Amino acid sequence: MTTTADRAGVVAAPRASGKGSREGKGVATTAHIALIVWSLLVILPLLWTLLSSFKSTQEVLGNPLSLPHKLRFSNYANAWTTAGIGRYFLNTVIVVGSSLVLVMILGAMCAYVLARFTFPGNRLIYYSMLAGLTFPVFLAIVPLFFVLKNLALLNTLPGLIITYVAFALPFTVFFLHAFFKALPGEVYEAAQIDGAGEWRSFFSVMLPMARPGMASVAIFNFLGLWNQFLLPVALNTNSNNYVLSQGMASFASQAGYAVDFGALFAAVVITVAPVLVVYIIFQRQLQVSVTAGGVK
Amino acid sequence: MTITQDVVTEGGPKRSARRRRRPLTFDRVSFMVVFLGLPLAVFVIFVVSPFVQALWYSLTDWSGFSSGMNFVGFDNYVKLFHDDIFLKAVRNNIELAIVVPLVTIVLALTLATLVTIGGSGTGTVRGLRNSGFYRIVSFFPYVIPAIVIGLIWAQVFTPASGILDAVLSKIGLHQFENYAWLGDARTAMPASMFVMIWGFVGFYMVLFIAAIRGIDPEVFEAARIDGAGRFRTAVFLTLPLIRDNVQTAYIYLGIAALDAFVYMQALNPGGGPQNSTLVMPQQLFTTAFSKGQFGYSTAMGVILAAVTMLFALLVFLVNALTGGRERKVRR
């Protein structure tokens, strides 16, 4: 049932048969046109955003199709400092970075135990994690608010980090469970015979072997956490602690009145550009991860 | 606590017997406590307990900050079924859950098919040249945070300063010169749906490309030899073979459409003209954090969860009834 990225068995056969027929060329041309149209639909709004980020507010409100008169890098400075994007960026790096590291460690540990040890309640824990994956976060959000409040973690970065970890945990465990299950038992045996305890077996033997799986999950988790919106909006209302996504939302809703549209577009570019650049560099690995993880 | 290793080795009966009951050394005890206990504690405190509490709160009239809380039974639910605004939000969500997955999957499947079997050639079915470029570009939206996708398109849709109206009037459609796509109750919902679909298609296209490439090429060869054209191959061969992937995609997309909070919050924070784009999560959020009706809003959360489960069940049911099980066995 699981169809993973099968790089070898591509439909595209080697170019053996030479020239195609006229009918085949026609199909290929139509296909190219359709795909180009879609690509333009993706690129043009982004390109327009980039151009607008160099415009003054008057220019933005004037003619949307015109090019900027001069490249106003001041928009970027304004977005970074005045609108607080720099601060939100830093918060996001702290929150996403810490939660990513934590959820990878905790998730790997939990998945390892669930996959390779039998004990009463094993299945129950695994299935309750699966259930946690399907329930909408919205059902939990109000009680969660008070859980954090009672622990004095509301509106703090550590509170946000631990919540991110908790909600990314089921997916991480679910994904890595299969990986640890597939690892050969002999290696573990060998480690045990060589005198390694459970801790050492995990950190020096099993964890390194699960590296490909860890990389895929880490990519997924990174994008998911970077994208997170509901949790910070509900649980992190101190504007000093805003993360990028909620900072962007609040900046955009203010911009409706105070209006620095150039800076707004610049803020969008600041948010999108780093991830987009990283994506273009690592796009092959990312697409492999997506196909390995998503087609379940 | 007894810890038994899952992996049984061929070490003779004596050794496996010893393996079954291990001595409780500090190493093993601390290992289980930390490796299982720590993640579970986090999961139970921050995920399980809020879900369970929500069920209880939904049966009370709790306002959140007052200490008083009365058990009101199913009053909140009865009230919800007479709450016109909430019912409107439910209808909008259902509309989203029908249209967004359907369009996204059809579009993603079409594009994936074009990439994988759109190449020229008569003998073998082959992929399109330079398809890597299309894949990379189509996938862009997946790495852009949803809130930013919403904000970009909100600007694109803005009358006068947005690029959409400018382009439309440039090509002669002057009736759209100052048209507020998100401000008109007729177009606000379709425009919002478009934004969500724009954000989703590339990801599912990549998934389907992988699924199609996972099919044995000989199957395509055989179909070709039997004289099936590309369209017939795609509809009657590819689609049935990857139907499990389509089902999974349908469920993911449906859940995303039932949420839709981020997109709607970016496009029309107030719920749109005449609540035309209001969704359940938005209404829940306002009811809880602006109006302070926590009991009532958790009841909305329960309804949302129920609708989500119902949706997933429906997708499974439809897939099974149209022969999903049977095909899998044959494969």
Side-chain angles (χ1 to χ4, degrees), chain A residues 9-11 21 28 32 35 41 64 116 118 138-139 142 144 167 188-189 197-199 202 227 279 287 291 295-296, chain B residues 4-7 22 27-28 30 35 46 54 118 125 134-136 139 145-146 161 198 210 213 245 248 281 294:
Chain A
V10 253
V11 178
S21 69
H32 273 296
L35 286 160
L41 207 56
R116 300 194 72 90
T118 40
F138 269 97
L139 179 54
V142 171
L144 191 59
F167 278 88
Y188 169 84
E189 296 292 318
E198 301 290 358
W199 285 79
F202 176 75
N227 200 356
Y279 162 63
Q287 295 204 348
T291 46
V295 197
K296 276 271 155 6
Chain B
T4 329
Q5 186 63 29
D6 203 7
V7 195
R22 294 163 158 237
D27 178 57
R28 296 225 163 89
S30 65
F35 274 53
F46 295 96
V125 180
Y134 303 124
R135 248 181 336 144
I136 295 173
F139 202 73
S161 68
W198 185 88
R213 289 196 170 155
N245 303 85
T248 312
F294 286 92

Side-chain angles (χ1 to χ4, degrees), chain B residues 188-269:
Chain B
M189 192 53 154
S192 309
M193 285 173 170
F194 173 83
V195 176
M196 293 178 71
I197 293 164
W198 185 88
F200 291 140
V201 167
F203 180 80
Y204 289 96
M205 180 180 151
V206 169
L207 278 192
F208 291 146
I209 288 175
I212 294 173
R213 289 196 170 155
I215 300 174
D216 187 351
E218 283 176 21
V219 177
F220 287 102
E221 300 284 334
R224 260 311 173 71
I225 291 165
D226 288 350
R230 281 192 178 75
F231 183 75
R232 282 173 62 105
T233 314
V235 174
F236 296 108
L237 192 69
T238 317
L239 191 57
L241 282 175
I242 62 165
R243 68 183 296 149
D244 282 332
N245 303 85
V246 175
Q247 176 190 297
T248 312
Y250 224 110
I251 292 176
Y252 280 157
L253 281 163
I255 291 175
L258 286 171
D259 184 329
F261 178 71
V262 194
Y263 293 95
M264 296 313 183
Q265 207 64 10
L267 294 166
N268 258 326

Side-chain angles (χ1 to χ4, degrees), chain A residues 40-139:
Chain A
L40 284 178
L41 207 56
V42 171
I43 291 175
L44 286 182
L46 300 179
L47 202 63
W48 177 68
T49 305
L50 182 66
L51 284 177
S52 304
S53 72
F54 293 111
K55 291 180 173 182
S56 68
T57 296
Q58 284 77 15
E59 282 178 89
V60 170
L61 295 179
N63 184 357
L65 292 177
S66 68
L67 292 171
H69 289 304
K70 61 180 178 96
L71 297 183
R72 261 172 221 274
F73 286 99
S74 60
N75 284 338
Y76 283 82
N78 286 343
W80 189 259
T81 49
T82 320
I85 296 298
R87 188 187 190 101
Y88 305 152
F89 203 97
L90 187 71
N91 288 339
T92 311
V93 170
I94 293 171
V95 171
V96 172
S98 325
S99 2
L100 192 59
V101 170
L102 272 175
V103 81
M104 291 311 295
I105 294 173
L106 289 181
M109 296 196 311
C110 188
Y112 174 68
V113 171
L114 288 179
R116 300 194 72 90
F117 292 81
T118 40
F119 54 89
N122 184 320
R123 297 265 93 185
L124 179 75
I125 295 170
Y126 183 66
Y127 285 122
S128 67
M129 289 218 157
L130 274 189
L133 209 56
T134 46
F135 271 58
V137 184
F138 269 97
L139 179 54

